[in-house]
Amino acid sequence: DQQVKQNSPSLSVQEGRISILNCDYTNSMFDYFLWYKKYPAEGPTFLISISSIKDKNEDGRFTVFLNKSAKHLSLHIVPSQPGDSAVYFCAAKGGIYNNNDMRFGAGTRLTVKP
Amino acid sequence: GAVVSQHPSRVICKSGTSVKIECRSLDFQATTMFWYRQFPKKSLMLMATSNEGSKATYEQGVEKDKFLINHASLTLSTLTVTSAHPEDSSFYICSASSGRGPETQYFGPGTRLLVL
């Protein structure tokens, strides 16, 4: 039951360009969305989040966009830096789930080339 | 950010043996801990949620007698894979929450289990 989907397993961009990572969800009860970043041999770390009452949230080089009608969100990183190379997980929560119970996508491996 | 450790980071065992994985919150008290499992190229799948001092709540399809979870203190939760089989080989990752919202869920580095 893949309620959160990241259809691109990998993405490669040039340093300085924009990285766009996409995420789709199926459960309309989700009301909070998060992006996590994961380096090898480390656990995922929280990056940025957005509530369903918003359509955009920005934090420095990172911006998350939410399109509720399309059940789609995206993470934009601009400008991309080599240190951004990692696996990015999209997560969603809400509805009948516990407050901290989240559903994750499979992740997208971002490679930023110098 | 807060630190969550897991031990061991990697374990190889024979089929039929039991394996215990520890998850510790090192610099905060975790009211809730979560255990996830990740298959290659798949998402993190929540296995169970545990609150300190109470029984874990298992997700549908997860065998509670096979995956024993103990949350004995506010800084330690353990997952024991009993009578492990090759199909239990996976990446197990825990997270700990201080209870102040989803942004305060901190993940451990994960444990790679290989059952021969």
Side-chain angles (χ1 to χ4, degrees):
Chain A
D1 181 14
Q2 199 83 358
Q3 297 188 50
V4 179
K5 297 180 183 180
Q6 292 175 257
N7 292 319
S8 297
S10 64
L11 173 68
S12 180
V13 299
Q14 206 66 35
E15 181 179 7
R17 298 292 189 100
I18 184 171
S19 296
I20 300 176
L21 298 100
N22 294 302
C23 178
D24 297 291
Y25 61 96
T26 57
N27 191 334
S28 58
M29 296 297 286
F30 288 141
D31 60 7
Y32 205 85
F33 306 88
L34 307 93
W35 284 94
Y36 283 82
K37 179 178 180 180
K38 184 183 183 301
Y39 292 116
E42 295 181 12
T45 55
F46 170 74
L47 187 59
I48 192 170
S49 63
I50 187 167
S51 165
S52 61
I53 62 173
K54 295 185 177 182
D55 54 18
K56 176 183 175 181
N57 188 28
E58 189 172 353
D59 183 3
R61 297 185 297 113
F62 302 90
T63 303
V64 56
F65 295 92
L66 175 63
N67 182 333
K68 283 191 297 183
S69 61
K71 295 189 178 69
H72 176 85
L73 63 155
S74 60
L75 174 68
H76 292 211
I77 306 173
V78 55
S80 302
Q81 299 173 355
D84 296 329
S85 297
V87 177
Y88 290 79
F89 289 97
C90 169
K93 65 169 281 294
I96 64 173
Y97 301 107
N98 295 329
N99 186 46
N100 284 313
D101 178 5
M102 291 187 290
R103 304 292 160 170
F104 286 85
T108 297
R109 181 177 300 279
L110 172 66
T111 302
V112 180
K113 298 179 179 178
Chain B
V3 179
V4 176
S5 70
Q6 273 184 249
H7 178 81
S9 59
R10 185 185 297 264
V11 58
I12 301 173
C13 69
K14 291 182 179 180
S15 184
T17 60
S18 294
V19 176
K20 180 185 282 188
I21 303 170
E22 291 186 349
C23 176
R24 293 181 184 272
S25 57
L26 299 184
D27 52 1
F28 70 100
Q29 292 186 326
T31 53
T32 307
M33 286 186 168
F34 305 88
W35 285 96
Y36 295 84
R37 182 175 180 176
Q38 185 180 22
F39 291 103
K41 300 183 181 180
K42 299 291 185 182
S43 60
L44 292 166
M45 301 296 295
L46 180 67
M47 298 175 67
T49 303
S50 72
N51 293 294
E52 184 263 341
S54 62
K55 290 183 178 180
T57 301
Y58 289 81
E59 294 298 300
Q60 190 174 12
V62 178
E63 299 176 59
K64 61 181 180 181
D65 293 330
K66 180 167 187 62
F67 298 101
L68 301 178
I69 291 172
N70 185 284
H71 192 163
S73 75
L74 285 171
T75 59
L76 173 65
S77 177
T78 59
L79 168 68
T80 301
V81 183
T82 62
S83 187
H85 289 106
E87 57 265 30
D88 298 326
S89 298
S90 191
F91 187 67
Y92 294 87
I93 189 164
C94 74
S95 70
S97 171
S98 60
R100 296 193 187 95
E103 296 92 339
T104 56
Q105 185 171 155
Y106 303 100
F107 287 83
T111 296
R112 175 76 59 190
L113 171 64
L114 176 61
V115 185
L116 302 176

